Amino acid sequence: MTKVEDQKHKDTLWENVKALFYAIVLAVLIRTVWLQPFHIPSGSMIPSLLIGDNIFVSKTAYGYSRYSIPFGGDINYFSGRIWGAEPKVGDVVVFRSVIEPNTDYIKRVVGLPGDTIQMKEGILYVNDVPCPVEPDGEATAVNDDGRVLKAPQFIETLPSGVKHLIIKQIPFGKGEYDNTPVYHVPPGCYFMMGDNRDGSSDSRAQGVVGYIPYEYLVGRASFIFFSTGGHIAFWEVWKWPFTANYSRILNGIH
């Protein structure tokens, strides 16, 4: 190899290294300030989100807190939120709990600061107003244990008018959290519930998840960018083309 060829080889290698570095920096920047990918590992949000769904979460929706930044559960970059905006009832939100600040959860906002929440016979009450449900067939999905789950599906209408799907694996009134005390949502906190009402650990489980402070919100679930179908591990990339649930790709999250 001549000196000229050797120099060209070094220049090409250096350009490739710089391109890779810029790509990594751009990816980290996008993940931190705009869209962060998340994989759905459990069935707590069936039927809205299924095991194997891969979603993008909007970081700009509620502004930024320490939990918007990588390793925010361990490093206190700053307190509170900057450029903050309040979540709305019905939003599907990724957050950290006070009990497990390094673990991501995804649930639906059903209660705002100052609201009262209660479950009576499996019906959600917000400020003493029942949220009506109407039958909507049957949901079929892969459950946490890998088996196919079939459960009655319902359309629930929140006081804000937002309609969304829920499932009830256990008849109304018979589930663990179908009859609860009144929850008083503290100032600056939110009440979160899973759409799989009998398969979700959420704000009904005080001391496990509990109320979620505003600072602990990561972002609003935006859309599904890919779905592995729920039958395989996320890292089994070579199986994706054969198991993917293509009908869910690019679906919005409501």
Side-chain angles (χ1 to χ4, degrees):
M1 183 180 294
T2 67
K3 289 185 177 181
V4 172
E5 290 173 334
D6 183 55
Q7 185 60 45
K8 285 184 178 179
H9 177 73
K10 290 180 179 179
D11 290 345
T12 300
L13 179 61
W14 176 238
E15 289 301 321
N16 289 338
V17 169
K18 287 196 297 182
L20 178 61
F21 173 76
Y22 293 145
I24 293 172
V25 170
L26 181 61
V28 170
L29 187 62
I30 290 173
R31 183 185 184 278
T32 301
V33 303
W34 184 29
L35 292 173
Q36 181 171 346
F38 284 91
H39 175 71
I40 304 299
S42 75
S44 69
M45 283 295 290
I46 295 172
S48 303
L49 292 171
L50 308 181
I51 296 174
D53 283 349
N54 297 279
I55 67 172
F56 275 126
V57 171
S58 170
K59 292 290 194 69
T60 61
Y62 311 128
Y64 305 94
S65 74
R66 58 182 284 195
Y67 299 103
S68 305
I69 302 172
F71 310 110
D74 298 311
I75 304 172
N76 188 5
Y77 298 104
F78 57 91
S79 298
R81 300 193 79 86
I82 57 175
W83 302 311
E86 300 286 338
K88 298 176 182 177
V89 169
D91 284 0
V92 178
V93 175
V94 170
F95 61 89
R96 310 283 182 88
S97 78
V98 176
I99 294 92
E100 296 183 275
N102 288 310
T103 301
D104 293 310
Y105 288 80
I106 183 165
K107 310 290 179 187
R108 190 178 299 275
V109 178
V110 300
L112 303 177
D115 284 347
T116 60
I117 305 293
Q118 188 175 21
M119 299 295 294
K120 298 181 184 179
E121 297 298 314
I123 300 297
L124 171 64
Y125 283 71
V126 180
N127 298 324
D128 295 322
V129 177
C131 298
V133 297
E134 53 184 295
D136 189 54
E138 184 179 64
T140 302
V142 176
N143 206 357
D144 292 1
D145 57 9
R147 294 182 294 181
V148 174
L149 164 70
K150 292 186 177 181
Q153 180 172 277
F154 301 86
I155 300 173
E156 180 179 76
T157 303
L158 299 172
S160 61
V162 171
K163 296 179 182 290
H164 67 100
L165 296 174
I166 66 169
I167 62 169
K168 279 290 293 173
Q169 300 183 53
I170 302 172
F172 283 92
K174 304 295 184 182
E176 180 181 3
Y177 293 112
D178 277 4
N179 292 283
T180 70
V182 177
Y183 301 99
H184 297 272
V185 185
C189 293
Y190 297 86
F191 200 94
M192 308 290 192
M193 286 179 61
D195 293 343
N196 181 353
R197 290 295 163 80
D198 300 308
S200 173
S201 182
D202 48 42
S203 291
R204 295 172 293 177
Q206 295 292 303
V208 179
V209 178
Y211 307 115
I212 306 304
Y214 184 41
E215 183 179 6
Y216 284 68
L217 305 185
V218 175
R220 185 181 66 226
S222 184
F223 64 93
I224 300 166
F225 67 86
F226 193 76
S227 181
T228 62
H231 298 277
I232 62 171
F234 178 64
W235 49 266
E236 295 178 303
V237 179
W238 62 92
K239 295 182 180 180
W240 286 10
F242 309 103
T243 63
N245 190 339
Y246 292 101
S247 65
R248 297 184 65 76
I249 295 175
L250 299 184
N251 283 0
I253 299 169
H254 308 290

